[in-house]
Amino acid sequence: MASHRRPKQPSRTRVTVFSTAAAAAVVLSANAANAAPSEKPNKDEVKSKVDKLYEEAEQATEKLDGAKEKQQKLQKEINSLQDNVARGQDELNQLREGLGSMASAQYRTGGIDPSVALFLSSNPDDFLDKASAMDQLSAHQVEMLKKVQAKQRSLAQQRAEASSKLKDLADTRADLAKKKQEVQSKLGSAQKLLNSLTAQEKAALVSQDQERATRASKRVDLGTGTGKAASGRAAAAFAAAESVIGAPYVYTHAGPSSFDCSGLTSWAYAQADVTIPRTSQAQANAGTRIYSQSDLKIGDLVIFYGDQHHVGLYAGDGRVLHAPHSGAFVRFESMANMPFQFGVRI
């Protein structure tokens, strides 16, 4: 006789597992169908992205240069304050020794007044504030005590100032580390993009960059009418910059064998015995601004980009002599390749 048992139903757990697996398979299939194939960026796309990263790295570099300059300035001020405090403490000790000698002499002669003991107090203000006791002191004693009082106040103020600057220095060092990491991150991203190119594509990019620079590479003869410099110091600065054409761009460097943009200009003017600020933004305010390119002369600073993060030296004929960016070298270039803001005559 045939069996009339009902077929065994699949368990709820098995149904759930199968349903979940089926749903996942549908989702994966849909994603696979909709996903665009991963495409390697072409040479022009890489160049555009790398140029943008280099620009961002230079913006960060100028901020890094400013933080380094602030750190150096703070350290000098702190050292000076600490030296002053040390000398002041020696002077205060000598004044106190003088008061002690005076008290000892009065004691030996039997003429010491009880109030003289307060000469050696670490807080002579308490004594001087008691006007009723002033007639118990000689004019010389009063003068000595006032000197101690003034020296103590001066030392307290200098110690407080040094303490404040030390805190500012610690904050500046933290900011410095952050900005350095930002520059390195931008440069690392740019290098990663460049590494995605073939050797032939890399060579093409280098050739393209060199070709652009070559078109503007005519050297300036400062002895001719067309090579008229803004001043003798501008001529000397420009000649110094010309002497390092081919030196590599290295962020935060200011010569003599490698430079970033403001490092080159500040170094060049230093060779002419002229001190200008370290960063491009500060150099933008270092002299007389010139807004018309037709009024520029050899050796004038030329400022680029709205945030003023790039600077070079005017080289005549609409060209700039500058340290362009990481991976490049000090060279001439057409000013038309960057958004000119204004010139600065030092």
Side-chain angles (χ1 to χ4, degrees):
M1 180 182 291
S3 171
H4 293 287
R5 291 181 186 173
R6 296 176 65 184
K8 185 178 180 181
Q9 297 297 317
S11 70
R12 183 178 298 274
T13 302
R14 291 180 64 195
V15 170
T16 302
V17 171
F18 290 150
S19 299
T20 303
V26 171
V27 171
L28 290 172
S29 298
N31 287 344
N34 294 329
S38 178
E39 293 183 1
K40 175 184 172 183
N42 62 40
K43 176 173 67 68
D44 292 335
E45 289 173 335
V46 168
K47 182 183 184 308
S48 176
K49 291 178 180 178
V50 167
D51 286 346
K52 180 64 175 174
L53 284 166
Y54 279 157
E55 183 182 339
E56 292 172 354
E58 188 171 44
Q59 289 174 312
T61 293
E62 288 303 298
K63 292 176 182 177
L64 177 58
D65 287 339
K68 284 186 69 175
E69 186 175 39
K70 182 180 179 181
Q71 174 187 272
Q72 292 166 356
K73 181 180 178 182
L74 280 170
Q75 191 63 67
K76 287 180 181 178
E77 290 173 352
I78 289 168
N79 290 343
S80 177
L81 279 169
Q82 289 175 336
D83 287 345
N84 289 341
V85 167
R87 285 194 296 271
Q89 188 62 55
D90 286 342
E91 292 171 7
L92 178 60
N93 292 341
Q94 290 173 11
L95 285 170
R96 282 176 170 166
E97 287 176 7
L99 288 172
S101 298
M102 188 181 301
S104 297
Q106 289 183 340
Y107 177 78
R108 286 193 301 269
T109 60
I112 188 170
D113 189 278
S115 61
V116 175
L118 289 175
F119 286 167
L120 304 179
S121 170
S122 61
N123 187 14
D125 288 359
D126 291 343
F127 181 76
L128 286 180
D129 288 341
K130 296 179 176 63
S132 61
M134 291 295 287
D135 58 358
Q136 300 177 31
L137 302 173
S138 70
H140 180 60
Q141 289 170 334
V142 170
E143 186 63 28
M144 288 280 285
L145 201 54
K146 284 183 176 180
K147 285 182 179 179
V148 170
Q149 187 181 43
K151 182 59 65 176
Q152 284 180 321
R153 287 172 178 167
S154 174
L155 284 175
Q157 182 178 352
Q158 288 179 331
R159 286 192 177 105
E161 188 177 353
S163 177
S164 175
K165 288 185 182 297
L166 281 168
K167 182 182 181 303
D168 197 5
L169 180 61
D171 292 342
T172 300
R173 283 175 172 161
D175 190 38
L176 196 63
K178 182 179 177 181
K179 285 178 169 57
K180 184 175 182 179
Q181 186 176 19
E182 183 181 354
V183 174
Q184 291 173 331
S185 175
K186 299 291 184 185
L187 295 179
S189 296
Q191 190 59 53
K192 186 176 180 180
L193 279 170
L194 290 172
N195 290 343
S196 71
L197 299 177
T198 65
Q200 185 176 3
E201 287 172 330
K202 286 182 185 178
L205 278 185
V206 172
S207 177
Q208 183 180 342
D209 195 46
Q210 289 177 339
E211 183 181 347
R212 186 174 72 169
T214 299
R215 289 195 294 268
S217 64
K218 183 183 71 173
R219 284 181 174 264
V220 175
D221 183 356
L222 291 169
T224 68
T226 57
K228 187 175 180 181
S231 63
R233 57 182 177 272
F238 186 82
E242 266 198 316
S243 73
V244 293
I245 286 176
Y249 179 104
V250 179
Y251 75 94
T252 75
H253 283 211
S257 56
S258 55
F259 306 86
D260 61 22
C261 70
S262 56
L264 173 66
T265 49
S266 59
W267 176 86
Y269 266 95
Q271 308 317 297
D273 294 325
V274 177
T275 300
I276 63 174
R278 175 62 178 84
T279 66
S280 58
Q281 289 90 347
Q283 290 177 16
N285 298 307
T288 304
R289 290 191 176 185
I290 301 165
Y291 290 95
S292 172
Q293 288 193 39
S294 61
D295 293 333
L296 292 172
K297 293 185 178 180
I298 304 297
D300 284 337
L301 298 177
V302 278
I303 308 295
F304 298 94
Y305 299 97
D307 64 354
Q308 304 168 8
H309 72 260
H310 190 70
V311 63
L313 295 169
Y314 185 64
D317 301 326
R319 300 174 305 147
V320 60
L321 175 56
H322 68 152
H325 55 72
S326 292
F329 302 85
V330 174
R331 70 190 187 197
F332 292 103
E333 191 164 341
S334 170
M335 287 173 57
N337 293 333
M338 297 171 288
F340 169 74
Q341 301 300 302
F342 51 83
V344 177
R345 185 156 297 157
I346 301 300

